[in-house]
Amino acid sequence: MRVLIADDHELLRDTLVLYLNSESEIETVAVGTLDEAHARISADDPYDLVLLDYNMPGMDGLSGLTRTLEMEGGQRVALISGEAKRDIAEQALEAGAAGFVPKTLSAKSMINAVRFMAMGEQYAPLDFMTAPDDSPSNPLADKLSSRELDVLKGLTEGKSNKEIARDLDVTEPTVKLHMKTLFRKVDATNRTQAALIAREAGLF
């Protein structure tokens, strides 16, 4: 069984490889970006399963998943994530993903999930998909789009526009546009004030 793992967090990626390599019949290849994953899919023998990290560079939300599914080879593609919510998992499954795998799964559950998906089944942990949405409703968060929240998170971490753009795999002008709209929505006049408002609201 051949599995391609694409995740930009080296420690998490190495841990996942360690989990899977503990099983003699699973052969893994690991890369850190979507472009690298696409290059391996194009060049290598077919993979039984491709695991894509939802937040890595190049993914651009679910479009990275869709583009990978559309590549020649008919590979089964699943999302892995430590942050994505249930609605993202549901959208991924509807788009044709082989499954959605939270990074919080135990080693045994992760291995079983990979086997299950590689055999042609669709996987999502029942407890994750049926759990009530326990993310507290935050009045400030409710005002913002998911991308604006990503930009605001970058601001609270003291990142520059260039760093935020790189993290989100978008252009700096796009970041500035998101910033302009989120400033208006949170009633801030500059990035420092926006970061303070976010912290005071307990957003991050």
Side-chain angles (χ1 to χ4, degrees):
M1 184 188 300
R2 288 166 48 76
V3 179
L4 175 63
I5 300 165
D7 191 327
D8 63 321
H9 292 97
E10 194 173 347
L11 182 62
L12 291 170
R13 187 174 70 228
D14 290 348
T15 303
L16 192 49
V17 168
L18 198 65
Y19 283 174
L20 298 179
N21 280 352
S22 67
E23 302 296 306
S24 58
E25 82 276 18
I26 301 178
E27 175 194 342
T28 57
V29 173
V31 295
T33 67
L34 184 65
D35 285 345
E36 288 176 294
H38 285 180
R40 295 306 297 253
I41 291 168
S42 298
D44 297 350
D45 290 334
Y47 287 96
D48 296 293
L49 183 67
V50 178
L51 293 172
L52 301 179
D53 175 43
Y54 177 68
N55 293 316
M56 75 175 161
M59 282 295 284
D60 190 24
L62 290 172
S63 72
L65 168 72
T66 307
R67 295 202 311 275
T68 309
L69 284 166
E70 288 171 351
M71 291 182 71
E72 285 185 25
Q75 56 283 323
R76 295 181 58 72
V77 186
L79 276 190
I80 52 175
S81 179
E83 299 172 20
K85 302 293 185 198
R86 189 172 65 202
D87 62 327
I88 297 295
E90 289 170 348
Q91 289 172 44
L93 295 173
E94 284 172 16
F100 178 85
V101 184
K103 290 183 180 177
T104 50
L105 281 188
S106 67
K108 186 178 179 183
S109 297
M110 185 77 74
I111 291 164
N112 287 338
V114 165
R115 280 206 186 103
F116 193 69
M117 292 183 288
M119 287 190 300
E121 302 293 338
Q122 197 175 49
Y123 174 85
L126 189 62
D127 57 350
F128 179 86
M129 299 305 288
T130 58
D133 188 358
D134 59 0
S135 53
S137 180
N138 188 301
L140 191 62
D142 292 343
K143 292 181 183 178
L144 305 175
S145 70
S146 59
R147 199 49 113 189
E148 287 161 0
L149 280 169
D150 289 338
V151 171
L152 186 54
K153 187 172 187 285
L155 290 182
T156 62
E157 293 167 352
K159 291 180 177 176
S160 66
N161 288 359
K162 189 174 183 179
E163 289 171 318
I164 295 171
R166 190 183 61 224
D167 287 349
L168 302 181
D169 197 34
V170 297
T171 62
E172 278 191 70
T174 301
V175 170
K176 287 176 183 174
L177 188 65
H178 286 313
M179 227 172 260
K180 188 177 177 183
T181 57
L182 80 83
F183 284 179
R184 188 182 73 248
K185 289 179 180 179
V186 305
D187 200 21
T189 53
N190 56 53
R191 58 199 300 130
T192 305
Q193 190 181 11
L196 283 171
I197 289 168
R199 285 207 185 97
E200 285 169 6
L203 206 49
F204 302 109

